[in-house]
Amino acid sequence: MKLKHIIESQQFTVPSLYDLFERADQMKKIVKRGGTRDYQNKVMATLFYKPSTRTRFSFESAMYRLGGSVLSTEQAKEFSSEIEGENLEDTIRIISNYSDVIVLRHYEEGGAKRAAAVSPVPIINAGDGSGGQHPTQALLDLYTIYSECKTLDGLSVAFVGALDQGRTVRSLAYLLGKFDRIKLYFIAPLEMTIKNDILEYLDERGVSYQLADSTDGIINRVDVVYQTRIDKKRLINKDVKLSQYNIDKNVLSKMKYNSIIMHPLPRSVEIDPAVDTDPRAAYFRQAENGLYVRMALLTMLFENEE
Amino acid sequence: MKLKHIIESQQFTVPSLYDLFERADQMKKIVKRGGTRDYQNKVMATLFYKPSTRTRFSFESAMYRLGGSVLSTEQAKEFSSEIEGENLEDTIRIISNYSDVIVLRHYEEGGAKRAAAVSPVPIINAGDGSGGQHPTQALLDLYTIYSECKTLDGLSVAFVGALDQGRTVRSLAYLLGKFDRIKLYFIAPLEMTIKNDILEYLDERGVSYQLADSTDGIINRVDVVYQTRIDKKRLINKDVKLSQYNIDKNVLSKMKYNSIIMHPLPRSVEIDPAVDTDPRAAYFRQAENGLYVRMALLTMLFENEE
Amino acid sequence: MKLKHIIESQQFTVPSLYDLFERADQMKKIVKRGGTRDYQNKVMATLFYKPSTRTRFSFESAMYRLGGSVLSTEQAKEFSSEIEGENLEDTIRIISNYSDVIVLRHYEEGGAKRAAAVSPVPIINAGDGSGGQHPTQALLDLYTIYSECKTLDGLSVAFVGALDQGRTVRSLAYLLGKFDRIKLYFIAPLEMTIKNDILEYLDERGVSYQLADSTDGIINRVDVVYQTRIDKKRLINKDVKLSQYNIDKNVLSKMKYNSIIMHPLPRSVEIDPAVDTDPRAAYFRQAENGLYVRMALLTMLFENEE
């Protein structure tokens, strides 16, 4: 697949995902050998309208491991300090003169698409708006499952937490729906259950899923638990104990020996640090995989230019 | 010409300007070929007391395309967090130990000159105070005219907007005054007309110019329109319609087929986006030229050290 | 000595200090020759929870002079924007996937130690809390004395200023206590005298020292004056003139011809700029030495990994 920009998860077909993951595997080997200088002439701009040091560092490290350079800002709004409301399009047209790829975190849903429409260099969406997309997160999540479970077919995956708001959960559920014999569990307090658009999509594709408000009888059967935060203040029924959605040593003891626990991080109380040393705790490996997937994406974009 | 620091437009003679532009042409070719590693041992510090991501990225990209590295801050005031009023001179003396060239944006007029007085490494003024200088902007503006019009002699140039405050307009008018058979038009609402010091300078040099409060009868005759913003709030006579100073498709249709429209950017309403696709819209090429001119200046500074 | 992390001055034995200083001498030569590319595969992360452009630039320049790359933030708290109180340990675990060494400035005493406990890559403490450590500052201070005086034995050193709060004074006094025939003078207004823990340590080691509230009869005898700021507001006895602790041309005239004046910078009024041109003014050379010492430390950390 020829990639021009990376805007949303929907761009990726199953074969292109396997291509990407094979390439990410290679990148892991390259990093362990000390990186490459192959892309030393490339300049990446990280244009963040909202700070996110974690995501920014992951992209910038990917560029450095490929040998390239980085223009970096977490205060992209300062572009517009002189006039209110300078448009994103003008900013992109200017920055594209100074860089070979632009990693954009914008505050508005659709920001990345607007940027891509005018940019002569590739745009990578690093999150646009809270209801928008964050495709590289979804891709590194899927790669982590593939890398840990050695397959993407026939898996059962439980999503736990405030599923109505989770950009990452929505995107990952979407991507998992493309694979065979997948079974998804959406476990959340009633007021935070997964939204209907995702369920309709899964229905269309004939993907098996189940909604629940408790992990009981599910956590012990799944291959993957994808854990997310729950904001206490959003809880309507105050009798519900949020701690029942947390993972601690006790919950861990019920899980399959070869299952994994994932989390987009940062975490709060929903995963007890006592779980960290268990081999099933995959969340720090998941963060590591962000590096390899982003390196893989960058090389795909650069190759397509040639 | 031996350059030690780049502080103000007045440093540049006509032959040194042609030297610079020839070098900028070479830099353009080098960038198209993927840049060079010739300056990989050089470190640039961008010391910005006020954020300006656009200008900073342009300088930093110039350094990267030459193979070098960048120390970067947009919060240079944090140097003085421990004591109020640490002097600029001490800061420069310290940073000069860590870098081979310092790009300084200071909040006070004359800041760059003060820095240069104590710095063992070259200082480049990236703007000092609102009434101060921003010489690299003036140079890239002039280079753009040269690059688009293939000459700097015999040109007619109209400046449009709030000309009393425009640091870029003032510097460019100054530089254009050095060339032969130039005709300048200063078009502004009465209360925002160009200041007398520039007109006196043009008189001394025998440069032909005309003041006007309307583009009528001028816009159709000039080779270059240099468009700037007008702050609505500054308008005294509320009967004046600012839209008469804007460029849209209608205005464009009156312009010469081989004229160009420039703007220091960011723009507001003074240029209609519908104009962008016209070949005469030179403002994004102007931003691109910032890269080549800054690369050229950096190499001139580095060579003079040898 | 094998260094895994650099957390506190106490890690360094006398032989390891001489090793470090020899290496710093080499680094100075390497910088004068234009740096090296030997560490071009290395990525450093500067993770600053509080901005300190000076210290950050010194570390980042050290990495660039070694050929490496830098991930940089002065807003590390933004990691936790999504949830309050994300723990430092998780942040370090994630960033260690993206970099080969982490330079940490944390707001809490003990932050660096906590980071080192979980980090697979070396942690360098660039200051943790106001009562904490800043070991690389102490090392560059000691290196400056060694480099200027050609020895660390038999020296007399006067510390002047608000000595109760000075993290750098405390650490340097500690390190000097390891050498032979050292004589220390602690000169401060009564309410700002050096704390007892340091004096007890010096007693244990049999180091000779003297407390005083005036430089009279001392300043003319010492090899090194280590000058620090005094915050006027902290003075209880308003009859005390702080200017008596300042160094100007008059004080300078009383000092030994081969003595040196040091200051961690930034300075306020405690050193008159008129002193700057005197060869005994060593404070800008001290800032320069920060580069060489930090390069030396980085290479030691990288070699120990091999």
Side-chain angles (χ1 to χ4, degrees), chain A residues 83-110:
Chain A
I83 56 164
E84 273 178 62
E86 194 209 0
N87 65 56
L88 176 63
E89 284 81 357
D90 276 13
T91 299
I92 293 293
R93 280 187 193 101
I94 293 167
I95 302 305
S96 64
N97 290 309
Y98 307 145
S99 61
D100 303 301
V101 58
I102 298 173
V103 178
L104 175 71
R105 168 155 297 193
H106 201 250
Y107 48 89
E108 279 176 12
E109 210 174 313

PDB file of all heavy atoms in Angstrom, chain A residues 83-110:
ATOM      1  N   ILE A  83      -1.596  37.270  15.173  1.00  0.00           N
ATOM      2  CA  ILE A  83      -2.994  37.459  14.787  1.00  0.00           C
ATOM      3  C   ILE A  83      -3.789  36.279  15.302  1.00  0.00           C
ATOM      4  O   ILE A  83      -3.338  35.137  15.265  1.00  0.00           O
ATOM      5  CB  ILE A  83      -3.200  37.560  13.253  1.00  0.00           C
ATOM      6  CG1 ILE A  83      -2.625  36.326  12.536  1.00  0.00           C
ATOM      7  CG2 ILE A  83      -2.592  38.809  12.690  1.00  0.00           C
ATOM      8  CD1 ILE A  83      -3.130  36.208  11.125  1.00  0.00           C
ATOM      9  N   GLU A  84      -4.959  36.573  15.800  1.00  0.00           N
ATOM     10  CA  GLU A  84      -5.807  35.499  16.286  1.00  0.00           C
ATOM     11  C   GLU A  84      -6.334  34.690  15.113  1.00  0.00           C
ATOM     12  O   GLU A  84      -6.749  35.239  14.105  1.00  0.00           O
ATOM     13  CB  GLU A  84      -6.973  36.073  17.076  1.00  0.00           C
ATOM     14  CG  GLU A  84      -6.620  36.281  18.536  1.00  0.00           C
ATOM     15  CD  GLU A  84      -7.787  36.882  19.267  1.00  0.00           C
ATOM     16  OE1 GLU A  84      -8.845  36.230  19.332  1.00  0.00           O
ATOM     17  OE2 GLU A  84      -7.645  38.014  19.763  1.00  0.00           O
ATOM     18  N   GLY A  85      -6.299  33.390  15.295  1.00  0.00           N
ATOM     19  CA  GLY A  85      -6.956  32.543  14.324  1.00  0.00           C
ATOM     20  C   GLY A  85      -6.227  32.378  12.998  1.00  0.00           C
ATOM     21  O   GLY A  85      -6.854  32.205  11.970  1.00  0.00           O
ATOM     22  N   GLU A  86      -4.897  32.450  13.004  1.00  0.00           N
ATOM     23  CA  GLU A  86      -4.202  32.091  11.764  1.00  0.00           C
ATOM     24  C   GLU A  86      -4.621  30.687  11.431  1.00  0.00           C
ATOM     25  O   GLU A  86      -4.714  29.824  12.311  1.00  0.00           O
ATOM     26  CB  GLU A  86      -2.676  32.124  11.917  1.00  0.00           C
ATOM     27  CG  GLU A  86      -1.996  32.082  10.536  1.00  0.00           C
ATOM     28  CD  GLU A  86      -0.625  31.426  10.541  1.00  0.00           C
ATOM     29  OE1 GLU A  86      -0.167  30.990  11.591  1.00  0.00           O
ATOM     30  OE2 GLU A  86      -0.029  31.344   9.467  1.00  0.00           O
ATOM     31  N   ASN A  87      -4.851  30.425  10.170  1.00  0.00           N
ATOM     32  CA  ASN A  87      -5.392  29.119   9.881  1.00  0.00           C
ATOM     33  C   ASN A  87      -4.309  28.067   9.771  1.00  0.00           C
ATOM     34  O   ASN A  87      -3.170  28.329   9.399  1.00  0.00           O
ATOM     35  CB  ASN A  87      -6.301  29.157   8.648  1.00  0.00           C
ATOM     36  CG  ASN A  87      -5.556  29.506   7.395  1.00  0.00           C
ATOM     37  OD1 ASN A  87      -4.585  28.836   7.054  1.00  0.00           O
ATOM     38  ND2 ASN A  87      -5.984  30.546   6.697  1.00  0.00           N
ATOM     39  N   LEU A  88      -4.689  26.865  10.171  1.00  0.00           N
ATOM     40  CA  LEU A  88      -3.806  25.709  10.158  1.00  0.00           C
ATOM     41  C   LEU A  88      -3.192  25.501   8.784  1.00  0.00           C
ATOM     42  O   LEU A  88      -2.020  25.152   8.648  1.00  0.00           O
ATOM     43  CB  LEU A  88      -4.629  24.477  10.568  1.00  0.00           C
ATOM     44  CG  LEU A  88      -3.936  23.130  10.524  1.00  0.00           C
ATOM     45  CD1 LEU A  88      -2.780  23.090  11.515  1.00  0.00           C
ATOM     46  CD2 LEU A  88      -4.927  22.007  10.831  1.00  0.00           C
ATOM     47  N   GLU A  89      -3.985  25.728   7.741  1.00  0.00           N
ATOM     48  CA  GLU A  89      -3.513  25.486   6.377  1.00  0.00           C
ATOM     49  C   GLU A  89      -2.276  26.320   6.064  1.00  0.00           C
ATOM     50  O   GLU A  89      -1.295  25.817   5.499  1.00  0.00           O
ATOM     51  CB  GLU A  89      -4.630  25.786   5.358  1.00  0.00           C
ATOM     52  CG  GLU A  89      -5.713  24.716   5.258  1.00  0.00           C
ATOM     53  CD  GLU A  89      -6.774  24.804   6.346  1.00  0.00           C
ATOM     54  OE1 GLU A  89      -6.661  25.668   7.245  1.00  0.00           O
ATOM     55  OE2 GLU A  89      -7.730  24.011   6.301  1.00  0.00           O
ATOM     56  N   ASP A  90      -2.294  27.595   6.397  1.00  0.00           N
ATOM     57  CA  ASP A  90      -1.137  28.455   6.141  1.00  0.00           C
ATOM     58  C   ASP A  90       0.087  27.962   6.911  1.00  0.00           C
ATOM     59  O   ASP A  90       1.202  27.919   6.382  1.00  0.00           O
ATOM     60  CB  ASP A  90      -1.439  29.907   6.547  1.00  0.00           C
ATOM     61  CG  ASP A  90      -2.172  30.673   5.444  1.00  0.00           C
ATOM     62  OD1 ASP A  90      -2.663  30.030   4.494  1.00  0.00           O
ATOM     63  OD2 ASP A  90      -2.261  31.909   5.537  1.00  0.00           O
ATOM     64  N   THR A  91      -0.131  27.602   8.168  1.00  0.00           N
ATOM     65  CA  THR A  91       0.974  27.101   8.987  1.00  0.00           C
ATOM     66  C   THR A  91       1.606  25.875   8.342  1.00  0.00           C
ATOM     67  O   THR A  91       2.834  25.773   8.237  1.00  0.00           O
ATOM     68  CB  THR A  91       0.457  26.755  10.399  1.00  0.00           C
ATOM     69  OG1 THR A  91      -0.057  27.954  10.990  1.00  0.00           O
ATOM     70  CG2 THR A  91       1.582  26.216  11.271  1.00  0.00           C
ATOM     71  N   ILE A  92       0.776  24.959   7.901  1.00  0.00           N
ATOM     72  CA  ILE A  92       1.285  23.729   7.278  1.00  0.00           C
ATOM     73  C   ILE A  92       2.043  24.061   6.000  1.00  0.00           C
ATOM     74  O   ILE A  92       3.131  23.510   5.739  1.00  0.00           O
ATOM     75  CB  ILE A  92       0.118  22.760   6.978  1.00  0.00           C
ATOM     76  CG1 ILE A  92      -0.501  22.256   8.289  1.00  0.00           C
ATOM     77  CG2 ILE A  92       0.579  21.588   6.099  1.00  0.00           C
ATOM     78  CD1 ILE A  92       0.397  21.366   9.118  1.00  0.00           C
ATOM     79  N   ARG A  93       1.510  24.962   5.188  1.00  0.00           N
ATOM     80  CA  ARG A  93       2.194  25.328   3.939  1.00  0.00           C
ATOM     81  C   ARG A  93       3.592  25.869   4.230  1.00  0.00           C
ATOM     82  O   ARG A  93       4.535  25.614   3.491  1.00  0.00           O
ATOM     83  CB  ARG A  93       1.384  26.390   3.193  1.00  0.00           C
ATOM     84  CG  ARG A  93       0.222  25.832   2.399  1.00  0.00           C
ATOM     85  CD  ARG A  93      -0.405  26.951   1.558  1.00  0.00           C
ATOM     86  NE  ARG A  93      -1.694  26.543   1.022  1.00  0.00           N
ATOM     87  CZ  ARG A  93      -2.876  26.914   1.534  1.00  0.00           C
ATOM     88  NH1 ARG A  93      -2.926  27.718   2.594  1.00  0.00           N
ATOM     89  NH2 ARG A  93      -3.994  26.497   0.986  1.00  0.00           N
ATOM     90  N   ILE A  94       3.714  26.619   5.318  1.00  0.00           N
ATOM     91  CA  ILE A  94       5.019  27.191   5.657  1.00  0.00           C
ATOM     92  C   ILE A  94       5.960  26.117   6.207  1.00  0.00           C
ATOM     93  O   ILE A  94       7.092  25.966   5.745  1.00  0.00           O
ATOM     94  CB  ILE A  94       4.851  28.346   6.670  1.00  0.00           C
ATOM     95  CG1 ILE A  94       4.117  29.502   5.988  1.00  0.00           C
ATOM     96  CG2 ILE A  94       6.204  28.799   7.199  1.00  0.00           C
ATOM     97  CD1 ILE A  94       3.627  30.557   6.947  1.00  0.00           C
ATOM     98  N   ILE A  95       5.492  25.361   7.180  1.00  0.00           N
ATOM     99  CA  ILE A  95       6.356  24.354   7.821  1.00  0.00           C
ATOM    100  C   ILE A  95       6.796  23.285   6.826  1.00  0.00           C
ATOM    101  O   ILE A  95       7.868  22.707   6.950  1.00  0.00           O
ATOM    102  CB  ILE A  95       5.623  23.689   9.013  1.00  0.00           C
ATOM    103  CG1 ILE A  95       5.193  24.742  10.035  1.00  0.00           C
ATOM    104  CG2 ILE A  95       6.519  22.645   9.695  1.00  0.00           C
ATOM    105  CD1 ILE A  95       6.304  25.610  10.534  1.00  0.00           C
ATOM    106  N   SER A  96       5.965  23.023   5.826  1.00  0.00           N
ATOM    107  CA  SER A  96       6.336  21.998   4.846  1.00  0.00           C
ATOM    108  C   SER A  96       7.560  22.417   4.036  1.00  0.00           C
ATOM    109  O   SER A  96       8.195  21.579   3.389  1.00  0.00           O
ATOM    110  CB  SER A  96       5.153  21.694   3.916  1.00  0.00           C
ATOM    111  OG  SER A  96       4.833  22.848   3.161  1.00  0.00           O
ATOM    112  N   ASN A  97       7.911  23.693   4.060  1.00  0.00           N
ATOM    113  CA  ASN A  97       9.155  24.126   3.431  1.00  0.00           C
ATOM    114  C   ASN A  97      10.375  23.767   4.266  1.00  0.00           C
ATOM    115  O   ASN A  97      11.497  23.786   3.775  1.00  0.00           O
ATOM    116  CB  ASN A  97       9.164  25.650   3.243  1.00  0.00           C
ATOM    117  CG  ASN A  97       8.183  26.093   2.182  1.00  0.00           C
ATOM    118  OD1 ASN A  97       8.195  25.567   1.074  1.00  0.00           O
ATOM    119  ND2 ASN A  97       7.329  27.042   2.518  1.00  0.00           N
ATOM    120  N   TYR A  98      10.150  23.523   5.535  1.00  0.00           N
ATOM    121  CA  TYR A  98      11.273  23.345   6.457  1.00  0.00           C
ATOM    122  C   TYR A  98      11.457  21.902   6.898  1.00  0.00           C
ATOM    123  O   TYR A  98      12.394  21.606   7.639  1.00  0.00           O
ATOM    124  CB  TYR A  98      11.071  24.239   7.697  1.00  0.00           C
ATOM    125  CG  TYR A  98      10.819  25.694   7.378  1.00  0.00           C
ATOM    126  CD1 TYR A  98       9.972  26.471   8.154  1.00  0.00           C
ATOM    127  CD2 TYR A  98      11.449  26.305   6.284  1.00  0.00           C
ATOM    128  CE1 TYR A  98       9.742  27.811   7.857  1.00  0.00           C
ATOM    129  CE2 TYR A  98      11.214  27.634   5.982  1.00  0.00           C
ATOM    130  CZ  TYR A  98      10.361  28.384   6.760  1.00  0.00           C
ATOM    131  OH  TYR A  98      10.139  29.697   6.463  1.00  0.00           O
ATOM    132  N   SER A  99      10.565  21.013   6.488  1.00  0.00           N
ATOM    133  CA  SER A  99      10.634  19.635   6.977  1.00  0.00           C
ATOM    134  C   SER A  99      10.147  18.652   5.918  1.00  0.00           C
ATOM    135  O   SER A  99       9.448  19.037   4.979  1.00  0.00           O
ATOM    136  CB  SER A  99       9.782  19.500   8.243  1.00  0.00           C
ATOM    137  OG  SER A  99       8.436  19.809   7.942  1.00  0.00           O
ATOM    138  N   ASP A 100      10.499  17.382   6.090  1.00  0.00           N
ATOM    139  CA  ASP A 100      10.131  16.338   5.130  1.00  0.00           C
ATOM    140  C   ASP A 100       8.904  15.557   5.562  1.00  0.00           C
ATOM    141  O   ASP A 100       8.358  14.767   4.785  1.00  0.00           O
ATOM    142  CB  ASP A 100      11.309  15.381   4.944  1.00  0.00           C
ATOM    143  CG  ASP A 100      12.547  16.117   4.485  1.00  0.00           C
ATOM    144  OD1 ASP A 100      12.489  16.741   3.420  1.00  0.00           O
ATOM    145  OD2 ASP A 100      13.565  16.098   5.208  1.00  0.00           O
ATOM    146  N   VAL A 101       8.512  15.734   6.813  1.00  0.00           N
ATOM    147  CA  VAL A 101       7.303  15.092   7.329  1.00  0.00           C
ATOM    148  C   VAL A 101       6.845  15.920   8.535  1.00  0.00           C
ATOM    149  O   VAL A 101       7.683  16.468   9.266  1.00  0.00           O
ATOM    150  CB  VAL A 101       7.576  13.618   7.728  1.00  0.00           C
ATOM    151  CG1 VAL A 101       8.669  13.501   8.782  1.00  0.00           C
ATOM    152  CG2 VAL A 101       6.317  12.912   8.214  1.00  0.00           C
ATOM    153  N   ILE A 102       5.527  16.033   8.715  1.00  0.00           N
ATOM    154  CA  ILE A 102       4.987  16.815   9.830  1.00  0.00           C
ATOM    155  C   ILE A 102       4.129  15.912  10.713  1.00  0.00           C
ATOM    156  O   ILE A 102       3.185  15.297  10.231  1.00  0.00           O
ATOM    157  CB  ILE A 102       4.139  18.009   9.329  1.00  0.00           C
ATOM    158  CG1 ILE A 102       5.003  18.982   8.511  1.00  0.00           C
ATOM    159  CG2 ILE A 102       3.483  18.744  10.509  1.00  0.00           C
ATOM    160  CD1 ILE A 102       4.224  20.105   7.821  1.00  0.00           C
ATOM    161  N   VAL A 103       4.502  15.830  11.991  1.00  0.00           N
ATOM    162  CA  VAL A 103       3.697  15.098  12.974  1.00  0.00           C
ATOM    163  C   VAL A 103       2.847  16.139  13.686  1.00  0.00           C
ATOM    164  O   VAL A 103       3.369  17.036  14.346  1.00  0.00           O
ATOM    165  CB  VAL A 103       4.592  14.355  13.977  1.00  0.00           C
ATOM    166  CG1 VAL A 103       3.734  13.643  15.018  1.00  0.00           C
ATOM    167  CG2 VAL A 103       5.502  13.368  13.245  1.00  0.00           C
ATOM    168  N   LEU A 104       1.537  16.014  13.531  1.00  0.00           N
ATOM    169  CA  LEU A 104       0.619  17.060  13.994  1.00  0.00           C
ATOM    170  C   LEU A 104      -0.278  16.565  15.118  1.00  0.00           C
ATOM    171  O   LEU A 104      -0.956  15.547  14.975  1.00  0.00           O
ATOM    172  CB  LEU A 104      -0.266  17.510  12.807  1.00  0.00           C
ATOM    173  CG  LEU A 104      -1.367  18.520  13.105  1.00  0.00           C
ATOM    174  CD1 LEU A 104      -0.782  19.889  13.413  1.00  0.00           C
ATOM    175  CD2 LEU A 104      -2.342  18.623  11.916  1.00  0.00           C
ATOM    176  N   ARG A 105      -0.263  17.283  16.242  1.00  0.00           N
ATOM    177  CA  ARG A 105      -1.321  17.095  17.232  1.00  0.00           C
ATOM    178  C   ARG A 105      -2.135  18.383  17.253  1.00  0.00           C
ATOM    179  O   ARG A 105      -1.636  19.436  17.637  1.00  0.00           O
ATOM    180  CB  ARG A 105      -0.770  16.805  18.626  1.00  0.00           C
ATOM    181  CG  ARG A 105      -1.878  16.912  19.699  1.00  0.00           C
ATOM    182  CD  ARG A 105      -1.640  16.137  20.932  1.00  0.00           C
ATOM    183  NE  ARG A 105      -1.584  14.723  20.696  1.00  0.00           N
ATOM    184  CZ  ARG A 105      -1.620  13.792  21.659  1.00  0.00           C
ATOM    185  NH1 ARG A 105      -1.740  14.166  22.922  1.00  0.00           N
ATOM    186  NH2 ARG A 105      -1.553  12.512  21.367  1.00  0.00           N
ATOM    187  N   HIS A 106      -3.390  18.262  16.817  1.00  0.00           N
ATOM    188  CA  HIS A 106      -4.234  19.445  16.730  1.00  0.00           C
ATOM    189  C   HIS A 106      -5.380  19.317  17.734  1.00  0.00           C
ATOM    190  O   HIS A 106      -5.693  18.236  18.200  1.00  0.00           O
ATOM    191  CB  HIS A 106      -4.776  19.606  15.306  1.00  0.00           C
ATOM    192  CG  HIS A 106      -5.206  21.000  14.993  1.00  0.00           C
ATOM    193  ND1 HIS A 106      -6.512  21.363  14.820  1.00  0.00           N
ATOM    194  CD2 HIS A 106      -4.489  22.123  14.854  1.00  0.00           C
ATOM    195  CE1 HIS A 106      -6.587  22.662  14.560  1.00  0.00           C
ATOM    196  NE2 HIS A 106      -5.365  23.156  14.573  1.00  0.00           N
ATOM    197  N   TYR A 107      -5.977  20.451  18.078  1.00  0.00           N
ATOM    198  CA  TYR A 107      -7.015  20.457  19.106  1.00  0.00           C
ATOM    199  C   TYR A 107      -8.407  20.220  18.535  1.00  0.00           C
ATOM    200  O   TYR A 107      -9.361  20.003  19.284  1.00  0.00           O
ATOM    201  CB  TYR A 107      -6.972  21.754  19.923  1.00  0.00           C
ATOM    202  CG  TYR A 107      -6.890  23.002  19.081  1.00  0.00           C
ATOM    203  CD1 TYR A 107      -8.038  23.638  18.636  1.00  0.00           C
ATOM    204  CD2 TYR A 107      -5.653  23.515  18.694  1.00  0.00           C
ATOM    205  CE1 TYR A 107      -7.961  24.770  17.848  1.00  0.00           C
ATOM    206  CE2 TYR A 107      -5.563  24.644  17.913  1.00  0.00           C
ATOM    207  CZ  TYR A 107      -6.715  25.275  17.488  1.00  0.00           C
ATOM    208  OH  TYR A 107      -6.636  26.375  16.696  1.00  0.00           O
ATOM    209  N   GLU A 108      -8.507  20.203  17.195  1.00  0.00           N
ATOM    210  CA  GLU A 108      -9.820  20.039  16.578  1.00  0.00           C
ATOM    211  C   GLU A 108      -9.920  18.741  15.803  1.00  0.00           C
ATOM    212  O   GLU A 108      -9.006  18.394  15.055  1.00  0.00           O
ATOM    213  CB  GLU A 108     -10.085  21.188  15.588  1.00  0.00           C
ATOM    214  CG  GLU A 108     -10.569  22.463  16.236  1.00  0.00           C
ATOM    215  CD  GLU A 108     -10.708  23.582  15.212  1.00  0.00           C
ATOM    216  OE1 GLU A 108     -10.651  23.281  13.995  1.00  0.00           O
ATOM    217  OE2 GLU A 108     -10.838  24.731  15.631  1.00  0.00           O
ATOM    218  N   GLU A 109     -11.030  18.068  15.959  1.00  0.00           N
ATOM    219  CA  GLU A 109     -11.311  16.881  15.169  1.00  0.00           C
ATOM    220  C   GLU A 109     -11.244  17.261  13.690  1.00  0.00           C
ATOM    221  O   GLU A 109     -11.800  18.279  13.271  1.00  0.00           O
ATOM    222  CB  GLU A 109     -12.719  16.385  15.525  1.00  0.00           C
ATOM    223  CG  GLU A 109     -12.897  14.907  15.384  1.00  0.00           C
ATOM    224  CD  GLU A 109     -14.264  14.452  15.890  1.00  0.00           C
ATOM    225  OE1 GLU A 109     -14.653  14.887  16.987  1.00  0.00           O
ATOM    226  OE2 GLU A 109     -14.918  13.681  15.169  1.00  0.00           O
ATOM    227  N   GLY A 110     -10.543  16.473  12.921  1.00  0.00           N
ATOM    228  CA  GLY A 110     -10.439  16.774  11.495  1.00  0.00           C
ATOM    229  C   GLY A 110      -9.245  17.644  11.143  1.00  0.00           C
ATOM    230  O   GLY A 110      -8.990  17.907   9.961  1.00  0.00           O
TER     231      GLY A 110
END
